[in-house]
Amino acid sequence: MARVLIVDDAAFMRMMLKDILVKNGYEVVGEAPNGLKAVELYKQERPDVVTMDITMPEMDGIQAVKEIRAFDPNAKIIMCSAMGQQAMVMEAIKSGAKDFIVKPFQPERVLEALKKVLG
């Protein structure tokens, strides 16, 4: 099954996502609390897909998408956003993100996005 890197500054959000993923057979290879750590872990772990929060300290999700895609143009990244962040989601998609899921996470939508992105 696919290897996933979870990026979110809120530990409980990472835990919720990890729970959904692990229960459905995905392997979580890393968790990052900000974009800086996400880029570092991506290079180290080379996950199949990344779930990326937008608003985080040190480096936001949009900058992290740009850096990961500069390192690996084929990176598969799904943005995680709160309601009302449409402009930022669009910027992330332009920067190379493949899809987005809205918080609070609905397991069906998370799994649908992963299947779509992993093709």
Side-chain angles (χ1 to χ4, degrees):
M1 207 42 152
R3 302 167 70 252
V4 186
L5 170 61
I6 298 173
V7 186
D8 199 306
D9 57 328
F12 74 96
M13 283 294 178
R14 293 197 308 269
M15 197 176 73
M16 280 174 60
L17 256 180
K18 184 175 186 173
D19 190 52
I20 294 168
L21 297 174
V22 170
K23 278 184 180 157
N24 287 278
Y26 290 91
E27 182 190 352
V28 176
V29 294
E31 294 182 40
N34 60 56
L36 272 178
K37 190 77 179 147
V39 174
E40 187 185 306
L41 275 173
Y42 187 90
K43 291 177 177 177
Q44 206 176 301
E45 296 293 339
R46 302 288 183 96
D48 299 310
V49 66
V50 180
T51 63
M52 181 77 71
D53 187 24
I54 293 180
T55 312
M56 297 179 289
E58 293 185 61
M59 181 192 291
D60 69 18
I62 293 168
Q63 189 57 41
V65 167
K66 290 176 181 167
E67 295 207 12
I68 289 171
R69 297 271 303 176
F71 171 76
D72 177 4
N74 299 313
K76 294 176 171 71
I77 304 168
I78 298 169
M79 301 311 290
C80 303
S81 73
M83 292 301 276
Q85 288 186 312
Q86 283 85 345
M88 291 170 102
V89 168
M90 290 317 297
E91 192 180 335
I93 302 270
K94 281 187 200 130
S95 300
K98 303 282 186 207
D99 200 355
F100 69 96
I101 46 181
V102 177
K103 297 174 184 177
F105 300 122
Q106 287 167 335
E108 310 74 47
R109 178 65 192 112
V110 171
L111 298 170
E112 180 190 308
L114 280 163
K115 282 192 188 101
K116 178 181 150 187
V117 167
L118 290 163

